[in-house]
Amino acid sequence: MNSIDIVLLIAYSISLICALLLMAALYLYFRRRFRARVVSLFMLAAFFFLGAYTVKMAVALWIRFSSTSGTEAMLGPLQSKIWAIAQTGTTLGLVILTLLIYTRRQDLFVVLSQIRKGRNRHADSHTGPK
């Protein structure tokens, strides 16, 4: 293992840890927002992007470990497929975020309807508990 491998393993590990911490924080954010029945479309897109990026960092770490340990030939096709899926998700997330920013729609919110006792309730049709 040379110095570049060590630097990349450290960088990928730090990136993966930060991405996992951000995913956990965003999970808590979305739990609150889903309870309030209003979710930011921009934050959903950011969560999707970050999820795909997290998978990419995990695969990058996996690829780097397997290339230094010599098991690359056995796992190469699986790593390539997972990397392609994660890259597609990352690209899709970036496209969505870019469209939201450049169309000045980063403040769009999705109001989730709530079904109670057989009827739909929306945020604009009800002001308080019954």
Side-chain angles (χ1 to χ4, degrees):
M1 191 179 323
N2 60 32
S3 61
I4 291 179
D5 289 330
I6 293 170
V7 169
L8 286 174
L9 284 172
I10 292 170
Y12 290 157
S13 297
I14 292 170
S15 294
L16 181 60
I17 290 167
C18 289
L20 288 171
L21 290 172
L22 287 169
M23 291 289 292
L26 283 173
Y27 172 77
L28 296 174
Y29 165 80
F30 280 117
R31 258 187 42 192
R32 286 192 315 269
R33 297 312 305 159
F34 279 118
R35 284 186 187 145
R37 299 291 187 209
V38 178
V39 180
S40 165
L41 190 59
F42 186 82
M43 289 300 289
L44 277 174
F47 189 69
F48 178 76
F49 167 76
L50 188 58
Y53 177 80
T54 304
V55 171
K56 276 182 63 174
M57 283 300 96
V59 173
L61 194 59
W62 180 27
I63 289 170
R64 184 55 56 181
F65 267 126
S66 65
S67 69
T68 58
S69 66
T71 59
E72 185 178 11
M74 294 184 305
L75 300 173
L78 178 61
Q79 291 169 338
S80 293
K81 288 177 185 170
I82 295 172
W83 183 267
I85 291 168
Q87 180 60 47
T88 303
T90 303
T91 303
L92 183 60
L94 280 173
V95 167
I96 292 168
L97 289 170
T98 303
L99 288 173
L100 288 172
I101 289 291
Y102 280 97
T103 59
R104 301 182 193 275
R105 301 294 217 165
Q106 63 267 26
D107 58 350
L108 288 178
F109 285 85
V110 178
V111 179
L112 306 171
S113 65
Q114 181 177 357
I115 300 174
R116 282 206 182 155
K117 298 182 183 177
R119 15 177 244 174
N120 287 334
R121 288 177 30 189
H122 298 279
D124 59 353
S125 65
H126 185 69
T127 57
K130 285 191 174 187

